[in-house]
Amino acid sequence: MRRRSCPVRSRCRAAAAGMAPGLPQPSQGGASQEQKGNPKLELTEEKRDIREAFDLFGMDGTGYVDVKELKVAMGALGYEPRREEIKKMVSDIDKEGTEKISFSGFLRVITRKMIEKDSKEEILKAFKLFDDDETGKISFKNLKHIARELGENLTDEELQEMIDEVDGDGDGQVNEQEFLSIMNKTNLY
């Protein structure tokens, strides 16, 4: 999986090393001495990035991040959730209404976003395979060509019905957003 690198990684590391005056020191939150020797318990690079962002915003040493900091912490990891998404995430994680999020809750949220991003990227790759003339839309001609290549014996009427079902703007073609929308509705994304 490829994702945008952590834009605060160098600041996080500099703060941890005490080289960045003005930035608060992150809490240590690392593995215990017993865990450090066990390779199974070592954190992956992505999990370390997530931990660094969490620690950077959870400076009070309680092991929690204030819900008001969730959007900023996610932004530090390259995700830009909308206000509605943040509200839903908080309600899913903070069942008691403490307005605090633990690292495990934060990790669940970020993991979910990473999976969504991967799924979306895969769906857009599929869209590009259908859009073989690179117009940014799947036309009747594109769909017929792909159906033929896949050995599907669909009539022109059936192919047109497929496009009409997805075509939200009525232009007779399927754009990326319409494609993503139908994949989401059919639980394929």
Side-chain angles (χ1 to χ4, degrees):
M1 171 185 65
R2 305 217 57 165
R3 69 176 171 82
R4 202 167 81 204
S5 63
C6 177
V8 296
R9 177 184 280 159
S10 61
R11 286 189 295 163
C12 290
R13 290 202 173 117
M19 298 184 302
L23 277 179
Q25 294 293 326
S27 64
Q28 292 307 308
S32 70
Q33 285 295 83
E34 294 173 26
Q35 293 171 334
K36 286 181 182 174
N38 185 344
K40 290 182 181 178
L41 297 175
E42 288 182 24
L43 299 176
T44 64
E45 183 178 344
E46 287 177 333
K47 196 169 181 181
R48 279 192 302 269
D49 288 349
I50 294 167
R51 184 73 202 199
E52 286 175 1
F54 180 84
D55 287 345
L56 186 64
F57 294 97
M59 303 314 295
D60 59 5
T62 63
Y64 292 89
V65 169
D66 191 284
V67 295
K68 294 175 186 127
E69 298 293 332
L70 180 60
K71 183 176 174 104
V72 180
M74 290 183 72
L77 290 165
Y79 300 99
E80 299 296 330
R82 295 182 312 271
R83 186 178 310 245
E84 307 82 47
E85 286 180 287
I86 292 289
K87 286 180 182 177
K88 178 160 179 17
M89 287 178 218
V90 169
S91 70
D92 289 348
I93 298 170
D94 185 25
K95 303 278 187 209
E96 296 83 35
T98 63
E99 303 231 339
K100 301 278 184 195
I101 298 171
S102 67
F103 177 68
S104 63
F106 184 69
L107 185 60
R108 279 195 311 271
V109 166
I110 295 298
T111 302
R112 196 175 309 139
K113 291 300 283 179
M114 291 168 74
I115 290 168
E116 287 172 9
K117 188 173 183 177
D118 284 349
S119 296
K120 183 176 180 179
E121 288 172 0
E122 292 301 315
I123 297 300
L124 291 176
K125 283 181 188 175
F127 176 85
K128 288 179 177 155
L129 291 174
F130 280 90
D131 178 25
D132 59 1
D133 56 3
E134 299 179 4
T135 62
K137 296 189 176 204
I138 300 171
S139 65
F140 175 82
K141 179 182 154 200
N142 297 134
L143 193 57
K144 187 170 185 167
H145 174 77
I146 293 295
R148 200 174 316 124
E149 279 191 17
L150 295 174
E152 296 289 332
N153 290 327
L154 298 169
T155 66
D156 286 355
E157 186 177 278
E158 290 171 320
L159 293 170
Q160 189 60 51
E161 283 176 16
M162 291 170 70
I163 289 177
D164 292 343
E165 183 179 334
V166 179
D167 181 20
D169 61 12
D171 68 351
Q173 299 180 56
V174 178
N175 62 37
E176 278 186 1
Q177 194 56 46
E178 292 164 341
F179 191 76
L180 285 168
S181 178
I182 193 64
M183 298 305 267
N184 191 25
K185 286 179 188 171
T186 58
N187 293 321
L188 295 175
Y189 150 68

